[in-house]
Amino acid sequence: MTQFANEVLAVTGGASGIGLATAELRVARGGRVVLLDFSAEQLAAASARLGERARGVPTDVRATEQLAAAYSSIAEREGRLDAVVNCAGQSKPVPSATMSDADWLAVVEVHLNGTMRSCREAFELLRASEGAIVNLSSISASHGMPMRASYCAVKSGIEGLTRELAVEWAPARIRVNAVAPGYVRTALVENLIAQGFYAADTIIRRIPMGRMATPTEIAEAICFLASRRASFCTGAVLAIDGGMSVEGNWYEFGIDPSL
């Protein structure tokens, strides 16, 4: 497929999970991808997996100078940038009453501050291409989740940032949208399940579609929003959660899901 013929996508947190799944779809459809990720080891493996249409740049989204250097390298090597997907993230479930400043700031720095830094450093390249940004929010932006105060806060913040940039940067012809996934079977989620932070069976009972999403299902929505097919869509937050955010727990009361 040549949907993204030679267009260049940058993905923070691109060496694993939803970021890598998005990169795989873009490459499969003719695009080029630059993966920005903290882990040099995962970057090397992901770049090898994606082939010659991808390269990795070790980048810590907590460091402005590293993001600036990464986008400068895209200007020099690829010569253009058509879209940015901000996927870098981490989860640190901690009881709110005993959460340290360090625990709080660790999540804020990567998710919210890292997203802002990435958008800002990509601005000039995206203005030149009339490009797009897709940020990663979550169902937790609109739903309380115990022991995830920092995570809920930053995802709400990312949605606010998305709407603000969509309005401010519309005259520059830069579209800014977000996706808000529910539970996705990424390596991160599998690890949280293994550690006992997530009870998979309980979660799935709350999802009307009866399962978690795959990373590729989220990537499909991201690729749409990052494409020119979504040319009049900006400031939107697309929920991709199998109906979890609207189901209201009705299934817990014995309603036949086949009706």
Side-chain angles (χ1 to χ4, degrees):
M1 294 178 67
T2 58
Q3 177 186 350
F4 301 111
N6 295 315
E7 290 188 3
V8 177
L9 170 72
V11 187
T12 70
S16 62
I18 293 170
L20 179 55
T22 301
E24 288 176 323
L25 286 183
R26 292 282 293 209
V27 168
R29 295 170 185 176
R32 290 180 288 163
V33 176
V34 182
L35 308 175
L36 312 181
D37 202 283
F38 179 80
S39 171
E41 182 179 349
Q42 286 186 316
L43 269 179
S47 298
R49 176 172 166 178
L50 292 170
E52 62 182 13
R53 301 186 71 80
R55 71 181 179 96
V57 180
T59 308
D60 185 343
V61 299
R62 296 171 296 183
T64 294
E65 65 276 10
Q66 291 190 31
L67 278 164
Y71 285 116
S72 291
S73 81
I74 292 172
E76 293 167 6
R77 291 189 54 172
E78 281 74 24
R80 64 183 290 170
L81 179 64
D82 298 275
V84 172
V85 177
N86 290 305
C87 278
Q90 63 173 316
S91 180
K92 291 178 69 69
V94 177
S96 299
T98 57
M99 177 184 291
S100 68
D101 287 352
D103 286 335
W104 172 269
L105 291 172
V107 176
V108 172
E109 270 295 290
V110 173
H111 286 269
L112 183 55
N113 295 350
T115 295
M116 176 55 193
R117 292 186 189 102
S118 176
C119 292
R120 183 186 63 207
E121 298 305 320
F123 175 79
E124 292 297 342
L125 283 167
L126 293 173
R127 177 161 62 175
S129 67
E130 298 187 359
I133 296 170
V134 182
N135 295 323
L136 262 289
S137 181
S138 164
I139 189 175
S140 66
S142 55
H143 287 66
M145 300 180 73
M147 298 205 305
R148 289 164 183 81
S150 56
Y151 192 79
C152 291
V154 296
K155 291 306 185 182
S156 295
I158 284 171
E159 292 191 3
L161 176 64
T162 296
R163 289 186 286 268
E164 191 282 333
L165 293 180
V167 172
E168 184 177 342
W169 291 357
R173 301 294 186 267
I174 298 172
R175 295 181 301 101
V176 189
N177 295 288
V179 295
Y183 287 92
V184 185
R185 285 278 187 180
T186 62
L188 175 63
V189 169
E190 294 290 1
N191 185 47
L192 290 170
I193 291 171
Q195 293 180 55
F197 288 114
Y198 285 169
D201 291 344
T202 301
I203 290 168
I204 288 171
R205 283 199 301 272
R206 293 195 60 191
I207 302 172
M209 292 188 72
R211 63 178 177 84
M212 296 186 193
T214 67
T216 300
E217 287 176 309
I218 311 304
E220 286 281 7
I222 292 170
C223 282
F224 168 70
L225 290 172
S227 77
R228 302 190 190 280
R229 291 186 298 171
S231 58
F232 201 58
C233 182
T234 196
V237 178
L238 177 60
I240 317 169
D241 59 14
M244 189 174 182
S245 59
V246 296
E247 62 90 22
N249 284 334
W250 297 116
Y251 299 125
E252 295 292 330
F253 297 96
I255 301 230
D256 186 348
S258 68
L259 295 178

